[in-house]
Amino acid sequence: MHRTNFIVREPLLDPKQRVLGYELSWQQHDGKIPSHQDLEGLVGFVAEHVNHAQHGWLLRDKILFLDAVPAMLSTDALHALPPERTVLTIDIRHLTDVDVRAAVQGVRAGGVGVAIRGCDLNLLGRNLSPYASYVEVTFSGLDVASQARTYAAAKHSAVRMVGRPVATWADFDACAALGLDAFVGKLHLTPRPGKPVKGMNPTQTVILQLMQMVQNNEDVPTLENVLRRDPALTYKLLRYINTAGFGAGREVQSLRQAISLLGYAPLYRWLVLLLATASSSGYSPVLMETAVVRGRLAELLGQQYLGKSEAENLFVAGMFSLLDRLLGLSMQEVLETIQLPDEVVRALTGREGSYGPYLALAEACELNSTLVASLAETLEIGASEVNRAHLSALAWAQSVAA
């Protein structure tokens, strides 16, 4: 199915809006439910691309939630995923079958997590811990706070409760305050009401100055002098250089050497990444991670077709596409702070130009949009290629989060 359909994702958040993991699924068309072969195919495809033979689990501390049906509880593909990072979601109706209950307990004994979907309040009052490590609870109507209190009262210490959908920030705050463990959805893409902190903090101001200097090809000593004003930036650059192995076996301790080894184009890319992740505007960690994944996915989608330098501009476009929310500014205000290539600006303001469709496709993958297939077709990118790039971008985002 990875050759004909597309992987879409939703983040799983904790009450502090940190990303615990992701729910990955095949995008559904016309209400068609994936078969158990389709679901097994997703497990196998994911395992192939995020569990490296040499480097192991590429998603670090992230957990993956994957839909399952009883027929795939014993699939060999499960053995290719780390059990402690894998959660299979099954419908509560399947547990009426004694053989399914035994199979679920067998999967759990092997360390794989199980999430149960479709529980009502009567079932929540029972002990589900032999079968579930997570229980998905549904919120509907206006009185979400009352529902959350009911769910929290039914909570078992051994079972974590996952809320969905949580549609507003007021609902999120009510559920978090009442002790629910996690939330699935795209609420992070909706700005919080109120008055966010606007503008750049001192670190971001220095980063922006450095970005402009790199664009203007200022000499290395001049860049070094600006970097020295921010010890934290200096530390991060030296750590990045040494972690990435630019020093070829010897520790790099000089800023001048670090800049020279890195080169201007990679330095600019690092600064773009840092500009978003240095936000202190009160926006959530998940929004920062989304920006990183979006930028990397847009870059990977365009690499083969636009070339390396153009693809690096796609990375910038993807990162900047959420910078307005991270900084609490309008996109126009963001664009007034730094000079960007015209094609990047066209992509950011209207998803137009040569970069716009790639950025739009990267966004569509995180929105479960029906546009995924049509955008990929327009760009002549196959589903399998999009899916590989998607998982690679998720893994890369974890590698730069350290």
Side-chain angles (χ1 to χ4, degrees):
M1 196 170 185
H2 68 274
R3 299 184 184 279
T4 58
N5 214 335
F6 298 87
I7 293 174
V8 291
R9 77 179 191 276
E10 286 193 292
L12 183 83
L13 308 183
D14 73 4
K16 294 184 178 179
Q17 302 172 56
R18 294 173 299 202
V19 182
L20 297 172
Y22 288 97
E23 182 178 86
L24 300 182
S25 59
W26 293 124
Q27 185 186 45
Q28 294 185 23
H29 294 293
D30 303 321
K32 182 181 178 182
I33 299 174
S35 67
H36 81 267
Q37 291 93 345
D38 294 333
L39 296 175
E40 283 186 18
L42 179 60
V43 171
F45 187 81
V46 169
E48 181 183 353
H49 290 90
V50 298
N51 201 29
H52 193 274
Q54 181 179 354
H55 303 295
W57 186 238
L58 300 181
L59 301 183
R60 298 183 67 202
D61 60 344
K62 297 295 189 293
I63 301 168
L64 287 188
F65 279 60
L66 301 158
D67 282 349
V69 291
M72 60 175 287
L73 290 176
S74 59
T75 178
D76 290 340
L78 280 178
H79 299 297
L81 288 171
E84 71 279 7
R85 300 294 176 201
T86 307
V87 178
L88 301 179
T89 301
I90 64 171
D91 194 283
I92 188 69
R93 293 172 297 179
H94 295 307
L95 292 182
T96 58
D97 186 313
V98 63
D99 292 332
V100 173
R101 291 201 299 272
V104 167
Q105 288 181 297
V107 166
R108 291 207 63 204
V112 175
V114 173
I116 295 179
R117 178 175 292 157
C119 280
D120 61 26
L121 289 175
N122 292 327
L123 288 171
L124 284 175
R126 302 177 186 177
N127 181 19
L128 295 173
S129 56
Y131 310 107
S133 39
Y134 297 84
V135 174
E136 188 177 288
V137 294
T138 303
F139 293 93
S140 60
L142 298 176
D143 196 2
V144 172
S146 175
Q147 293 176 67
R149 280 193 293 271
T150 304
Y151 287 137
K155 178 177 170 182
H156 300 290
S157 59
V159 179
R160 304 186 70 183
M161 304 195 73
V162 179
R164 80 179 301 163
V166 180
T168 71
W169 283 112
D171 294 347
F172 180 96
D173 292 338
C175 296
L178 289 164
L180 269 74
D181 299 290
F183 312 86
V184 176
K186 306 175 184 69
L187 186 59
H188 62 285
L189 296 174
T190 303
R192 263 188 181 271
K195 295 183 178 180
V197 177
K198 294 185 66 174
M200 299 190 185
N201 58 44
T203 295
Q204 288 172 317
T205 302
V206 174
I207 294 170
L208 191 65
Q209 182 183 359
L210 286 165
M211 289 172 65
Q212 296 281 31
M213 292 170 67
V214 170
Q215 284 184 319
N216 295 334
N217 288 311
E218 299 278 0
D219 60 29
V220 172
T222 306
L223 293 171
E224 182 184 17
N225 287 335
V226 173
L227 263 170
R228 287 188 186 280
R229 298 178 197 167
D230 193 316
L233 267 184
T234 298
Y235 168 77
K236 288 178 180 179
L237 177 58
L238 291 174
R239 186 182 66 173
Y240 173 68
I241 287 284
N242 287 307
T243 302
F246 284 94
R250 55 196 175 89
E251 186 175 0
V252 177
Q253 297 180 331
S254 159
L255 273 179
R256 188 167 303 191
Q257 184 186 12
I259 296 169
S260 299
L261 282 170
L262 192 57
Y264 275 33
L267 176 61
Y268 186 86
R269 175 193 183 88
W270 177 74
L271 290 168
V272 169
L273 183 65
L274 212 58
L275 185 64
T277 56
S279 173
S280 59
S281 65
Y283 281 84
S284 63
V286 62
L287 195 61
M288 299 178 194
E289 186 163 320
T290 301
V292 177
V293 176
R294 186 184 293 181
R296 180 60 171 168
L297 178 51
E299 177 186 24
L300 291 173
L301 291 171
Q303 266 183 358
Q304 181 178 340
Y305 306 93
L306 299 179
K308 183 178 179 181
S309 61
E310 300 277 10
E312 287 181 347
N313 281 336
L314 275 170
F315 174 78
V316 174
M319 291 290 298
F320 269 66
S321 68
L322 286 169
L323 200 59
D324 54 341
R325 298 178 194 178
L326 286 166
L327 298 179
L329 301 171
S330 69
M331 183 55 72
Q332 187 58 42
E333 288 174 307
V334 171
L335 295 176
E336 288 171 358
T337 64
I338 186 168
Q339 184 178 354
L340 294 170
D342 290 343
E343 285 298 299
V344 172
V345 173
R346 292 186 69 191
L348 290 172
T349 55
R351 304 302 185 259
E352 298 173 344
S354 58
Y355 300 155
Y358 293 96
L359 176 56
L361 177 53
E363 282 182 292
C365 289
E366 68 200 41
L367 295 173
N368 196 1
S369 168
T370 55
L371 293 174
V372 176
S374 60
L375 285 167
E377 184 178 1
T378 298
L379 293 168
E380 298 183 349
I381 305 176
S384 185
E385 186 178 351
V386 174
N387 293 335
R388 285 195 301 269
H390 195 163
L391 296 178
S392 179
L394 276 183
W396 188 83
Q398 313 314 312
S399 73
V400 299

